[in-house]
Amino acid sequence: MIVGHEKMAQIFHDRPITFKAQTIETGAEWELYNGIGSIRWASPEITFSEKLEIHWDANPMILEYHPGSANGAIWVTLPVEKVIFLGDAVVPNAPPFLASADIPLWKEALGELSTPAFRNYTLISGRGGLITIEQVKEQIRFLDKVEHQLERLNEKKDADELERSIAHLLKSFEFPAEKLAHYSLRLRYGLQHYITHHAHPTQEVPEE
C-alpha cells in the first residue's frame, strides 16, 4: 500500500496514466539514463495533510509534511531508533532541483534539524545516504546563495546574468567534469521556473 502527501496525490492525478519521457530537458537525475519506456504511475492509496503515524509494531513510524524542497515533500522519522529520512531536503555534492521549491520554507525546515528535538538523530538523505549536521548547514548556505542570485536575476533579467548565476552556484560543489553540462541544465531550468512559479504561483512545474 502506497502512502503519500495529498499534494503528491494531486500531482499524479494531473498526469497521464503512463509515464513518458518529456521532450524538455530539466536536468533531472532520471534523464541521465537511456531506455526508460512507458511506466504506469503508482498513485498513493492513503494520503495525509500534516502528519501520519504508522503503528505496525511497538515502535511507530511518523510521516510529516515538510514543504520546501518540493510539493508534497515529507520526512519519515523513527523516533525510538532516532533515525530520520529527509528525502531531497539535503542533496550532497550536487545542485538540488529548484523548479518546484519554496526556498524560505526549505530553509525553515532544515533549521529544525539543529534544534534539541533532533539531537543525536541519524540523518539520511534520499540521494546521499548518511549525512551530517554540517552537510545540513551547507545546504542552508547554498540556499542562501540561490536566494541572492534570484534577487540579481529579478533585477537584471537577462541571459548573461543567468549564466553567471549558474557558474557561481556550481562553485559550491565538487563533481566529475562530465556532470557539468547536466548540472548547469538543472540550475538553468530550476532558476527560470522558480522565478516564473513565484511570480505566478498557480502555474504548475514538473517534479523531478
Side-chain angles (χ1 to χ4, degrees):
M1 186 168 289
I2 300 171
V3 180
H5 191 266
E6 59 188 11
K7 290 188 177 180
M8 172 188 169
Q10 186 60 47
I11 290 169
F12 282 115
H13 181 267
D14 293 340
R15 288 177 170 175
I17 294 175
T18 56
F19 169 86
K20 292 183 180 179
Q22 302 175 86
T23 56
I24 300 174
E25 292 184 332
T26 66
E29 201 70 20
W30 64 265
E31 292 171 0
L32 294 172
Y33 303 96
N34 297 320
I36 298 180
S38 295
I39 302 171
R40 292 188 64 85
W41 296 118
S43 299
E45 299 159 276
I46 298 176
T47 62
F48 64 98
S49 57
E50 296 297 328
K51 182 177 179 179
L52 177 67
E53 293 190 17
I54 299 175
H55 297 262
W56 53 48
D57 57 23
N59 300 339
M61 174 187 293
I62 301 173
L63 282 64
E64 288 185 305
Y65 177 46
H66 284 274
S69 58
N71 293 323
I74 63 173
W75 295 357
V76 178
T77 304
L78 304 176
V80 176
E81 296 84 352
K82 289 190 176 298
V83 176
I84 181 167
F85 298 87
L86 300 168
D88 285 343
V90 179
V91 182
N93 303 319
F97 196 72
L98 299 171
S100 58
D102 186 313
I103 292 174
L105 289 178
W106 194 345
K107 289 165 58 179
E108 180 182 337
L110 291 175
E112 294 181 29
L113 297 174
S114 296
T115 63
F118 291 102
R119 187 173 295 150
N120 299 322
Y121 266 73
T122 298
L123 308 178
I124 302 178
S125 162
R127 298 177 191 265
L130 290 172
I131 59 170
T132 64
I133 194 64
E134 180 55 35
Q135 287 174 297
V136 174
K137 294 176 180 177
E138 287 175 3
Q139 186 76 76
I140 295 173
R141 288 193 288 269
F142 176 74
L143 295 175
D144 286 337
K145 293 179 183 178
V146 171
E147 285 187 313
H148 178 67
Q149 296 303 317
L150 287 167
E151 290 174 5
R152 293 173 61 89
L153 290 170
N154 275 319
E155 290 171 2
K156 298 193 175 181
K157 299 182 185 297
D158 66 71
D160 290 340
E161 186 63 29
L162 176 62
E163 295 308 311
R164 283 191 288 269
S165 292
I166 292 167
H168 176 75
L169 291 173
L170 285 175
K171 291 179 181 177
S172 301
F173 308 101
E174 294 183 5
F175 52 84
E178 59 267 22
K179 292 286 187 74
L180 175 61
H182 189 72
Y183 287 166
S184 297
L185 176 62
R186 181 181 300 177
L187 283 173
R188 187 177 301 110
Y189 182 88
L191 291 170
Q192 289 173 327
H193 282 76
Y194 190 94
I195 292 171
T196 301
H197 181 62
H198 287 269
H200 307 284
T202 58
Q203 184 167 335
E204 293 293 333
V205 294
E207 299 284 341
E208 184 179 14

